[in-house]
Amino acid sequence: KRHREEEKKKKKKTDSDLKSLSCVVSTLSAALRGISRKKHLFVLSSSALSLKVCRKAAKAFHCLAEGEGRGKEGKKGRCEDDHVVRRASGIILKVIEDASLAIEEYGKATNANGQREEKSTKSVSRKLKFLCLRLLGSVHPAITAGAEEEDWKVWQELTVRALHALGDTGLDSFTFDESEGVTDEESSDEEYCTVRRQILGSSIVVEKLLDEGSGASSCSSSVPALRLMRMASFYFGKLLEYAETDSNPPAALSKAMHLLYVIMSNIESKGGLNEASTYQDEIFSYLMRIMSHFPDRSLRVKARFCLLSVLSALGNGQRCQALARLLETCEYPSIRSSLLSAMKDEVAAAWSEKSRTGRESPFLSRPAISCLLGPLYHLEEMSAPQEKSEYFLENSDAVLASLNALRYLLLREHKEDQPFTFLLDPEHLSTLLVKVIPCIENLVGGALEEHRAANKCFKYSEGKAWVGGESSRSSGICSTGLCTCSIEDEWGKRVFMNILAIENVTNRNKEILQDYKI
């Protein structure tokens, strides 16, 4: 009850603050419309106040996001929330609309007088451009905190129109190749906030420019794929950094991933990036961090989808190399499992294309297949039983994915009635049948036996955890490898289900391998 009262007081204060801001905005707007010439000078002189007004209006959305949320107090509460939102949106719209109007008039006058190339004109245009971006960046938190899409789309459209009037009609103005005005290292807090707002505003403009043409517009056609990848790395990294202090981190992250996806779609529409760079590796690092550490499952799924979109934006050769590097360096078994599945899909697509057109692909090379079956070979090559058992359980997701990939390869060969496998020579087949399959059978048998023995020490009541016994789980693995955890332990259940699936797929692969005359 006390919490609800505090929330009501906060909303009441927010509404009171917005009324004051409305008066300020009305005064500024009336003064601007009373000026007949060079309205842009008034906009520049009042820019600090305009930015402050936008930031304070955006806090109204923060109030709703940080409180109990919109519409949580019945019909009356929803009406009050909507009233606050409409007032805040109206204030932001008025500030951006007035700035856009003045800048468009300036742009038309400059073009008419042929002054665009003059040094003084360029300086003024640059200041107006940065003001546009900073105004839009000031309300970015409102966008992630619950502003209606139809509202912020209008803010976005007005800003783009103003930038067009200044001559910034393409993506070249927002790739930051010169890092113009965006360096935030060793800067004061106020400078950092200014840079942050500029980058946030730029990211919204870039999204608009790319969405307009869906990869076919002139604004993106002039930008090389490598520069787009560099831009994606820059913006995505910055947006992730800023999301940490956002009032709604999941929404901020989701917005960042949407921008990343839009840029990747444009790169793919150009035919993909066919040269090596560090930019895609930086993006992979960001995405894998989200996939492995972020608590929100829906965002982890989005991050995986974005990772696949980055891979799709690479040419065949670069994509194969990127997948191989990720599989070699990835420390997270569940992510390695997804990467192995992606690699298997690439092999399947390349194989089908080769059957139709005869075109070769790096995914049909020996190194690619060795990478695909890497977890199986690595497991067989390990000598210490304890180390092998721990690796097997900790990487059961990856082992299962690799076994499924092997089964696909073998079934595909059988379907095409090949005398020997197209991708695996007799030596590899012999290694799989004589060494790898028996190794996995032993590990599965030992794990299941241990599981049965461990469960004898437990009693189970429906709907409750396992009770009794003296075994404890500290690192998730007991002395011989298999965890003795409660039935409610998601990790333990997942490992156990993986082991059963591994047993099934291993038996099927063994049957297929035995049909080959090795």
Side-chain angles (χ1 to χ4, degrees):
K1 184 177 179 181
R2 188 182 301 112
H3 178 69
R4 286 195 296 269
E5 290 297 326
E6 290 176 355
E7 289 301 320
K8 287 181 180 179
K9 289 180 180 179
K10 186 186 293 186
K11 289 179 182 178
K12 187 175 181 180
K13 184 180 184 305
T14 299
D15 193 37
S16 177
D17 291 341
L18 289 176
K19 289 179 181 178
S20 299
L21 291 177
S22 293
C23 293
V24 173
V25 171
S26 297
T27 302
L28 287 173
S29 183
L32 178 67
R33 280 164 172 73
I35 299 173
S36 58
R37 295 176 64 251
K38 298 186 177 182
K39 293 182 178 181
H40 66 282
L41 295 179
F42 178 81
V43 168
L44 287 175
S45 64
S46 60
S47 61
L49 181 57
S50 298
L51 287 166
K52 191 171 183 178
V53 167
C54 283
R55 293 200 302 273
K56 285 186 173 293
K59 284 186 178 180
F61 297 92
H62 280 244
C63 175
L64 298 178
E66 293 173 351
E68 294 186 1
R70 287 178 68 179
K72 295 295 185 181
E73 300 176 356
K75 186 176 181 179
K76 183 178 179 181
R78 285 194 295 272
C79 290
E80 291 176 354
D81 290 350
D82 289 342
H83 175 70
V84 172
V85 167
R86 297 316 310 164
R87 190 186 292 275
S89 296
I91 290 170
I92 293 171
L93 174 61
K94 194 63 177 173
V95 173
I96 295 179
E97 188 177 41
D98 285 349
S100 177
L101 173 66
I103 292 171
E104 286 188 64
E105 286 188 8
Y106 169 78
K108 290 178 182 178
T110 303
N111 287 332
N113 297 330
Q115 297 175 334
R116 182 172 295 281
E117 298 303 320
E118 293 182 9
K119 187 175 181 180
S120 59
T121 302
K122 286 184 177 180
S123 176
V124 173
S125 296
R126 182 173 179 271
K127 291 177 182 179
L128 290 171
K129 170 187 174 181
F130 287 170
L131 174 59
C132 281
L133 297 177
R134 288 165 187 167
L135 284 173
L136 194 57
S138 296
V139 301
H140 184 275
I143 295 174
T144 60
E148 298 293 339
E149 183 176 358
E150 61 184 21
D151 290 336
W152 66 260
K153 288 285 188 182
V154 174
W155 309 338
Q156 185 186 52
E157 178 64 32
L158 287 170
T159 303
V160 170
R161 278 170 46 189
L163 291 171
H164 282 184
L166 293 172
D168 294 304
T169 58
L171 284 175
D172 283 329
S173 303
F174 306 99
T175 54
F176 293 118
D177 278 349
E178 304 299 328
S179 299
E180 182 182 39
V182 298
T183 302
D184 52 19
E185 295 179 0
E186 301 179 356
S187 61
S188 66
D189 290 343
E190 181 57 34
E191 288 171 337
Y192 176 82
C193 291
T194 300
V195 169
R196 171 175 173 154
R197 287 191 286 271
Q198 183 176 317
I199 293 174
L200 289 173
S202 297
S203 70
I204 301 173
V205 171
V206 166
E207 181 182 322
K208 171 69 174 176
L209 292 175
L210 290 173
D211 267 340
E212 279 180 341
S214 300
S217 65
S218 59
C219 73
S220 64
S221 61
S222 61
V223 183
L226 182 60
R227 272 183 94 182
L228 283 176
M229 187 64 76
R230 180 180 180 179
M231 183 167 61
S233 175
F234 172 81
Y235 280 115
F236 193 55
K238 289 295 182 183
L239 292 180
L240 292 189
E241 176 189 332
Y242 301 153
E244 295 178 3
T245 56
D246 196 274
S247 66
N248 190 346
L253 278 175
S254 182
K255 188 73 176 168
M257 286 191 280
H258 180 261
L259 175 61
L260 177 64
Y261 176 75
V262 170
I263 297 176
M264 292 305 114
S265 297
N266 276 263
I267 294 176
E268 186 177 1
S269 71
K270 292 174 175 290
L273 179 62
N274 293 303
E275 52 188 306
S277 77
T278 59
Y279 307 127
Q280 55 260 40
D281 292 336
E282 291 171 355
I283 296 172
F284 288 137
S285 176
Y286 297 142
L287 289 171
M288 291 176 73
R289 190 170 64 191
I290 297 173
M291 292 168 66
S292 59
H293 291 98
F294 205 80
D296 190 319
R297 185 178 182 278
S298 63
L299 278 177
R300 296 200 304 272
V301 172
K302 284 183 180 179
R304 180 183 180 276
F305 182 77
C306 283
L307 187 143
L308 295 177
S309 73
V310 178
L311 288 170
S312 297
L314 303 177
N316 274 349
Q318 288 299 317
R319 185 161 65 251
C320 186
Q321 292 178 26
L323 271 171
R325 284 197 307 272
L326 290 173
L327 285 168
E328 183 179 353
T329 59
C330 180
E331 300 175 356
Y332 309 104
S334 60
I335 300 179
R336 288 180 66 207
S337 172
S338 297
L339 294 172
L340 286 165
S341 297
M343 176 74 91
K344 187 203 76 171
D345 292 342
E346 292 288 352
V347 171
W351 204 336
S352 297
E353 185 175 1
K354 181 176 175 62
S355 299
R356 294 193 311 270
T357 65
R359 182 181 301 172
E360 295 292 342
S361 168
F363 288 102
L364 300 179
S365 64
R366 301 290 184 189
I369 302 305
S370 296
C371 184
L372 187 60
L373 304 180
L376 306 182
Y377 291 132
H378 180 70
L379 193 60
E380 187 275 326
E381 291 169 357
M382 300 175 75
S383 56
Q386 176 69 17
E387 182 184 7
K388 183 178 294 190
S389 179
E390 290 182 359
Y391 177 88
F392 175 64
L393 293 175
E394 291 175 354
N395 295 273
S396 60
D397 286 321
V399 172
L400 178 58
S402 191
L403 281 168
N404 280 325
L406 173 62
R407 184 164 181 262
Y408 164 77
L409 294 175
L410 296 176
L411 286 174
R412 179 68 183 261
E413 296 291 0
H414 261 291
K415 180 180 178 181
E416 297 188 2
D417 195 26
Q418 299 275 353
F420 283 107
T421 60
F422 173 60
L423 299 175
L424 291 170
D425 56 31
E427 182 179 351
H428 282 89
L429 291 172
S430 178
T431 300
L432 288 167
L433 181 60
V434 177
K435 296 181 179 180
V436 174
I437 295 296
C439 172
I440 295 175
E441 286 178 330
N442 290 336
L443 289 167
V444 169
L448 292 178
E449 180 60 33
E450 180 187 349
H451 181 73
R452 286 190 289 268
N455 287 343
K456 291 179 182 179
C457 301
F458 290 82
K459 294 180 180 180
Y460 177 66
S461 298
E462 187 173 356
K464 299 181 180 179
W466 292 94
V467 295
E470 298 179 355
S471 297
S472 63
R473 181 187 177 202
S474 57
S475 63
I477 301 173
C478 70
S479 59
T480 53
L482 185 64
C483 63
T484 55
C485 53
S486 74
I487 198 66
E488 295 178 350
D489 189 312
E490 291 297 328
W491 187 88
K493 287 191 289 187
R494 179 167 180 162
V495 170
F496 181 68
M497 296 305 295
N498 281 345
I499 290 171
L500 294 179
I502 287 171
E503 180 184 37
N504 182 42
V505 179
T506 300
N507 290 335
R508 292 179 179 274
N509 283 339
K510 184 177 181 179
E511 292 173 1
I512 299 173
L513 283 166
Q514 287 174 338
D515 288 343
Y516 282 90
K517 297 179 180 179
I518 304 173

